[in-house]
Amino acid sequence: MPSRGQLEQLEQRIRALSDEAAVRALTALVEERGLLPEARQHAWSDGGLKEALAAGDLDSGDLAAYADPDQPEATEGELARAVLEYAAAQHDDLARTVGEAVEYASSPMHRIEPLALSVTVLVVVLLQTEVVVKRDTRGRWSFTVHKRAMRDAALGRVFTALLSRISSGK
């Protein structure tokens, strides 16, 4: 794990990113992890997930704790920053990769073209061991969270931002 001081410094750099730069850093992280092709294959949309949330089709009752109807809709940048902070806290290799993605996103040279992928798709693909999105044969969406012990407040912030983004803050 990165030292507490190194992690705090990286978290400050992540929080200082503009929404656009945070999305660029998240895209770079997903690309570096080799997950961009998978993200492009996902056919689901924020709208389909919104329908699943509205219908109460959540496979994890614990997820309701993060769906706050009074929470304003998270911006793409807020969601991207939350998942970058969470990823940085996981282990040294990932923290280094997040640091490189933040550095890349902060630099004036842009190598990644804007993608036609939603930030929600990027987040779910990056967190695929935590979140699974499926569509059944009837076209109904399901959203399953493989919940670990929530001692990690960063993951809770990711879920809160993700749910507010999907549900448009409702």
Side-chain angles (χ1 to χ4, degrees):
M1 295 298 266
S3 74
R4 186 71 199 141
Q6 291 170 321
L7 187 56
E8 286 175 1
Q9 189 176 50
L10 180 54
E11 287 172 348
Q12 288 174 356
R13 290 175 48 216
I14 291 168
R15 288 182 196 124
L17 292 172
S18 68
D19 281 4
E20 183 181 312
V23 171
R24 232 180 4 259
L26 175 60
T27 304
L29 178 61
V30 170
E31 181 180 49
E32 180 62 30
R33 303 285 295 171
L35 299 170
L36 217 43
E38 184 176 340
R40 286 186 174 111
Q41 290 176 4
H42 283 293
W44 53 269
S45 66
D46 291 4
L49 294 177
K50 188 175 189 174
E51 290 171 18
L53 287 174
D57 292 342
L58 295 178
D59 292 325
S60 171
D62 296 323
L63 197 56
Y66 302 101
D68 181 357
D70 296 326
Q71 174 83 15
E73 180 179 356
T75 66
E76 289 185 339
E78 289 168 337
L79 179 55
R81 281 187 292 276
V83 79
L84 289 167
E85 284 186 45
Y86 169 73
Q90 295 312 296
H91 53 76
D92 285 344
D93 289 343
L94 194 50
R96 274 191 295 277
T97 305
V98 169
E100 291 167 3
V102 168
E103 186 67 32
Y104 163 79
S106 301
S107 71
M109 182 171 56
H110 306 296
R111 290 183 297 259
I112 296 178
E113 293 298 318
L115 299 174
L117 294 171
S118 82
V119 170
T120 308
V121 170
L122 295 173
V123 168
V124 172
V125 168
L126 186 65
L127 297 178
Q128 60 190 327
T129 60
E130 312 291 345
V131 180
V132 178
V133 178
K134 295 186 219 170
R135 193 170 195 180
D136 67 17
T137 56
R138 294 174 292 161
R140 295 195 60 196
W141 294 97
S142 67
F143 187 87
T144 305
V145 173
H146 298 175
K147 183 178 175 252
R148 295 185 296 160
M150 279 299 176
R151 61 173 169 56
D152 190 345
L155 186 55
R157 286 191 300 275
V158 170
F159 286 154
T160 298
L162 180 62
L163 291 177
S164 80
R165 184 81 192 146
I166 292 169
S167 66
S168 301
K170 296 177 179 107

